[in-house]
């Protein structure tokens, strides 16, 4: 059973005025915001699905990661299943009206039951929306049946390449839906397929760059901030990038030191402007990939001058041993949300197509307010939102759950606009590559 | 408070095998059905909203009326508000991305509090979806504020024509949404407006014809029946039409007698085919309009040879005194659904755009299984569905509420396809009229 949070974690900070101000602006400008988003989807269609990790510091509300291969659908509130199903139906209606048979390709770590629950839930939602769905594994050689703790059953089948198509025996899929982030690169069996693939292969973490995403996010945040009349910094984390870093050989340290300090400096200036007394920090991570590995919190550039061997080797590799050479330096956003039991919490918001569905809190009992919480394990607990993020309630105070969730939905969709623009870049790159042939 | 029916009325008949069979087919063929609908919306966009009165005889499940100016939104289950809001958002996204300000024009009977609750609920859903909404009355000369029993407040404002636009002081609407069925014809203030009007003026009951709707429904039902492999009669009520009837002068009786008998004859043949022992009947109503007035149940054509004065004058006029000259003769479909308290019930299903929302049961304690239940009054009670109609559940029996509601949603959407085709006809007529100028 998904644990549902009927209430909302409280903000354990006295600096909430600015956030109340953001929330007030978002509620007051709802009509302009919704219209702005509709215009965005006309220009750049949204990806099939996405989930966005948000951090809420009270004075600042911002995305820190946008995942285009969302896992965790099993953590959403099951009360709103009809909402998730109609979101899929609207996506199909708009972009794939003729679709009937879909092949879902999950991650390879088939021993993670939490993850398999996600796959089973995703398959269920796709089926409920009126699609025939089969789940095909990139690594299994035989059909495997999993009985999951929820009582769900999941069948993984082996894939076969047949000319330009990928198939499961007796099932000719019209579209491939990836729930595998391709951290290890694009496997041969997926290369040059006739069948359309969602999200596109370029979204895989081997090629996708956080810096490209957040460059688009910065523009989108400036545009929306203009529409609603707020300082874009309140919703946008500053970032810098370093290329050609080799942590093991300590190559590129100067770039890290300079850029960490640059991000801290701007943050310090904004904190001073708003009278925020917290200590600025940065999060340093791989520009491509990561999965809770290779992520570091730092309070000064100097820290990168003398990393010990263990720290360096932790930073040098990300998921599936992908070596880190491009580094993404992001303004740290405190999470001041905590549950009644004082565990630190960060919201994760889910979308299908342009529709925001709701989300859950990632609750971590052993991590600090300045740390990455995306670290599954014994101290990680998902708590589903008790309400959707669909609409605010003007009669309730700005920090009522319904309004805070609406604010989360707006910021998450802003990250979705950035992702849609990334996808448009990839299409242009594909066209350029093809015409260069 | 909306009364919500957690359970489903039971079918008080022993002839349920055929319906179970319809429901089984609809569930088994869900993928083909959903794909078929998606194709339909590509060709003919759905109206903004619609509600469909269904009748469930156990052996037959069919629409008997499709309303394009749906009232009763206040009777829907409030638990699923997010679903209603996203349905509006998807409609805007697809057909009116730039829309921000909308003018809602309700019916003129401003003393019916049930109706005003509907208007208030509709306005609320439109606002929640991110629109600025004002409600303008065709008859009021001043602004009126209503405090409704639900605690909702509704403000009706007076309208002004300003050149080619209709306005409320200080509010320039970009689109007009009618919740007024124009039974009295198109008022001058609405003629030749620059602003788009939803639904189009041709949908008004002065010009719209039930026979046109059910002609389209018949084609659509045949197409869908072909897709899922059932006898179309199981979901389609037979009908005939008589024109130039004058009930007061007893003109056109021969047409009525002949066509009532023709409908009864075909019905009798189908009843015999399926071993149904009920007595066939017809419903005779005005081809345009009606509002629970001018509706008659008949068991033979002969009954129309000797209508008494009271019966004739009841049939001669429909809502707003609209004189009846075209008559619609429809196969009667028994409603064998009844509540635990043995009141007769018929489902009404609501849609916004192509999305089915859910519905309620019209429960009438003083009417029979062969009578029209759309007769508001002391014995009329709305009971909201406890679930949406969005998706079936293959693990549950075909007559489980979730599956019966899905079946209702499919048949209601089939009527929506018919309405979409009617709208396409009206557009063609407009084009023909314009090119004739």
């Amino acid at each position: 059973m998904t644990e549902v949070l009927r209430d909302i974690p409280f903000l354990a900070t006295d600096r909430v005025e600015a956030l109340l101000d953001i929330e007030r602006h978002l509620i007051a400008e709802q009509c302009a915001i919704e219209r702005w988003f509709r215009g965005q989807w006309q220009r750049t269609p949204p990806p099939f699905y996405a989930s966005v990790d948000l951090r809420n510091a009270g004075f600042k509300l911002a995305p820190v990661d946008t995942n285009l291969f969302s896992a965790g659908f099993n953590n959403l509130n099951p009360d709103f299943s009809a909402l998730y199903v109609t979101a899929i139906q609207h996506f199909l209606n708009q972009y794939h009206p003729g679709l009937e048979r879909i092949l879902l390709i999950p991650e390879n770590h088939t021993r993670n039951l939490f993850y398999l629950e996600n796959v089973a839930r995703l398959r269920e939602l796709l089926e409920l929306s009126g699609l025939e769905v089969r789940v095909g594994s990139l690594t299994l050689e035989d059909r495997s049946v999993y009985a999951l703790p929820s009582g769900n059953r999941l069948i993984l089948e082996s894939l076969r390449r047949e000319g330009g198509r990928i198939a499961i025996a007796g099932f000719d899929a019209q579209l491939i839906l990836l729930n595998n982030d391709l951290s290890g690169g694009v496997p041969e069996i997926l290369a040059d397929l006739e069948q359309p693939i969602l999200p596109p292969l370029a979204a895989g973490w081997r090629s996708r760059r956080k810096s490209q995403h957040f460059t688009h996010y910065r523009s989108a945040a400036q545009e929306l901030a203009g529409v609603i009349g707020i300082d874009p910094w309140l919703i946008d984390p500053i970032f810098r990038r370093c290329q050609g870093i080799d942590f093991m050989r300590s190559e590129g340290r100067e770039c890290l030191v300079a850029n960490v300090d640059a991000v801290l400096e701007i943050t310090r200036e904004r904190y001073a402007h708003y009278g925020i007394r917290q200590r600025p920090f940065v999060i340093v991570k791989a520009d491509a990939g990561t999965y809770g590995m290779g992520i570091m919190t730092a309070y000064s550039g100097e820290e990168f001058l003398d990393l010990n061997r263990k720290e360096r080797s932790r930073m040098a590799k990300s998921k599936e041993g992908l070596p880190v050479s491009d580094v993404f330096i992001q303004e740290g956003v405190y999470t001041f949300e905590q549950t009644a039991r004082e565990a630190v919490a960060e919201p994760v918001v889910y979308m299908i197509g342009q529709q925001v569905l709701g989300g859950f809190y990632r609750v971590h009992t052993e991590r600090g307010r300045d740390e990455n919480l995306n670290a599954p394990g014994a101290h990680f607990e998902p708590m589903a939102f008790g309400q959707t993020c669909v609409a605010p309630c003007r009669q309730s105070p700005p920090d009522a759950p319904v309004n805070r969730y609406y604010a989360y939905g707006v910021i998450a969709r802003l990250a979705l606009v950035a992702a849609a623009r990334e996808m448009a870049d990839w299409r242009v790159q594909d066209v350029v590559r093809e015409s260069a042939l």
Side-chain angles (χ1 to χ4, degrees), chain A residues 312-325:
Chain A
R312 284 182 301 173
S313 74
R314 203 168 60 86
M315 291 302 291
K317 279 186 185 158
S318 124
K319 192 189 168 196
E320 300 204 5
L322 192 64
V324 172
S325 78

Side-chain angles (χ1 to χ4, degrees), chain A residues 409-427:
Chain A
V410 171
I411 302 304
R413 282 184 290 165
L414 197 53
L416 191 69
V417 168
R421 294 179 183 183
E422 273 179 281
M423 296 213 308
D425 288 349
W426 300 332
R427 275 192 296 273

Side-chain angles (χ1 to χ4, degrees), chain A residues 270-411:
Chain A
R270 288 286 87 188
Y271 276 25
H273 176 85
Y274 287 104
I276 296 158
R277 278 162 311 198
Q278 264 76 31
R279 192 177 170 201
F281 69 103
V282 297
I283 295 285
V284 177
K285 45 192 170 186
D287 199 17
T290 84
Y291 206 75
M293 290 176 283
I295 295 193
M296 207 181 129
T297 298
Y299 289 86
S300 82
E302 257 184 1
E303 294 180 40
F304 290 88
L305 291 179
D306 48 356
L307 292 179
N308 63 35
R309 190 169 173 81
K310 193 177 147 206
E311 288 166 328
R312 284 182 301 173
S313 74
R314 203 168 60 86
M315 291 302 291
K317 279 186 185 158
S318 124
K319 192 189 168 196
E320 300 204 5
L322 192 64
V324 172
S325 78
D326 292 2
V327 170
F328 184 68
I329 299 149
Q330 187 176 43
E331 173 193 347
V333 182
Y334 282 96
T335 182
F336 283 126
E337 293 194 279
Q338 61 179 49
T339 64
R341 282 172 294 159
E342 299 201 358
V344 180
E346 74 182 15
V348 190
V349 174
Y350 280 69
M351 286 150 300
I352 286 180
Q354 77 267 13
Q355 186 179 311
V356 60
L357 305 178
F360 64 89
Y361 278 97
R362 214 176 255 142
V363 177
H364 215 292
T365 55
E366 299 252 308
R367 292 239 166 170
R369 292 164 179 175
D370 57 356
E371 284 183 291
N372 167 50
L373 301 190
N374 189 1
H379 302 287
F380 170 78
E381 246 183 278
M383 307 277 277
F385 291 0
Q387 297 179 43
T388 66
C389 304
V390 167
C393 172
R394 283 154 210 262
Q395 284 80 50
S396 306
D399 61 341
V402 58
N403 288 328
R404 185 151 337 140
Y405 289 146
Y406 177 69
Y408 291 170
V410 171
I411 302 304

Side-chain angles (χ1 to χ4, degrees), chain A residues 88 92 99-102 126-133:
Chain A
I88 298 172
L92 296 177
L99 192 64
E100 235 176 281
R101 293 179 309 281
I102 193 169
L126 292 164
E127 282 178 348
L128 285 172
S129 72
L131 292 171
E132 237 185 290
V133 189

Side-chain angles (χ1 to χ4, degrees), chain A residues 38-308:
Chain A
R38 288 197 296 271
Q40 297 306 314
W41 312 135
Q42 295 287 314
R43 275 192 284 280
T44 42
F48 174 70
Y49 50 24
S51 54
V52 176
D53 295 355
L54 297 174
R55 304 275 290 196
N56 187 351
F59 51 84
K60 179 163 189 160
L61 173 61
V64 294
D65 200 12
T66 300
N67 193 337
L68 296 180
F69 302 90
S70 312
F73 278 94
N74 54 316
N75 294 331
L76 296 181
N77 194 330
D79 289 355
F80 307 120
S81 295
L83 196 67
Y84 316 149
V85 169
T86 55
I88 298 172
Q89 290 177 331
H90 283 289
F91 188 89
L92 296 177
N93 196 60
Q94 234 173 328
Y95 304 110
H96 300 278
L99 192 64
E100 235 176 281
R101 293 179 309 281
I102 193 169
L103 171 62
L104 175 62
I105 299 184
E107 295 284 348
N108 302 332
H109 39 74
T110 51
R111 277 183 295 188
N112 179 339
L113 292 181
F114 296 108
Y115 177 71
L116 293 180
E117 292 280 11
N118 161 65
V119 177
R121 178 65 170 145
L122 198 50
R123 187 209 50 193
E124 184 188 17
L125 292 173
L126 292 164
E127 282 178 348
L128 285 172
S129 72
L131 292 171
E132 237 185 290
V133 189
R134 302 282 276 273
V135 187
S137 158
L138 289 175
T139 48
L140 283 181
E141 307 222 334
D142 287 311
R143 193 166 174 277
S144 295
V145 180
Y146 298 85
L148 301 176
S150 63
N152 271 338
R153 229 168 63 109
L154 181 67
I155 299 172
L156 292 186
E157 300 180 77
S158 63
L159 296 172
R160 251 209 325 261
R161 179 79 183 229
E162 291 174 357
R165 301 182 78 80
I166 196 170
I168 285 176
F171 182 80
D172 183 41
Q174 298 162 295
L175 186 141
I176 314 295
L177 178 62
L178 291 178
N179 199 251
N180 181 312
D181 70 12
L182 307 177
S183 281
V186 176
E188 211 174 317
I189 194 171
L190 293 181
D192 303 312
L193 281 181
E194 286 170 10
Q195 292 140 310
I197 304 181
L198 293 184
L201 294 174
W205 271 131
R206 176 64 68 101
S207 48
R208 186 173 173 229
R209 291 290 179 273
K210 289 185 171 51
S211 51
Q212 189 189 3
H213 176 73
F214 279 97
T215 300
H216 282 303
Y217 182 81
R218 183 166 53 199
S219 312
Q222 278 166 359
E223 294 166 39
L224 187 73
V227 170
I228 61 179
I230 60 167
D231 173 2
W233 176 78
L234 294 172
I235 54 174
D236 182 26
I238 301 159
F239 72 92
R240 289 287 186 278
R241 175 173 76 141
C242 288
Q243 292 183 289
I245 301 296
D246 187 328
F247 280 100
M248 295 318 287
R249 298 184 186 185
S250 301
E251 282 172 20
R253 290 194 298 191
E254 309 68 30
C255 180
L256 284 174
V257 173
N259 279 303
V260 166
D261 284 337
V263 169
L264 288 171
E265 186 49 40
I266 303 172
T267 309
R268 208 169 284 123
E269 183 276 316
R270 288 286 87 188
Y271 276 25
H273 176 85
Y274 287 104
I276 296 158
R277 278 162 311 198
Q278 264 76 31
R279 192 177 170 201
F281 69 103
V282 297
I283 295 285
V284 177
K285 45 192 170 186
D287 199 17
T290 84
Y291 206 75
M293 290 176 283
I295 295 193
M296 207 181 129
T297 298
Y299 289 86
S300 82
E302 257 184 1
E303 294 180 40
F304 290 88
L305 291 179
D306 48 356
L307 292 179
N308 63 35

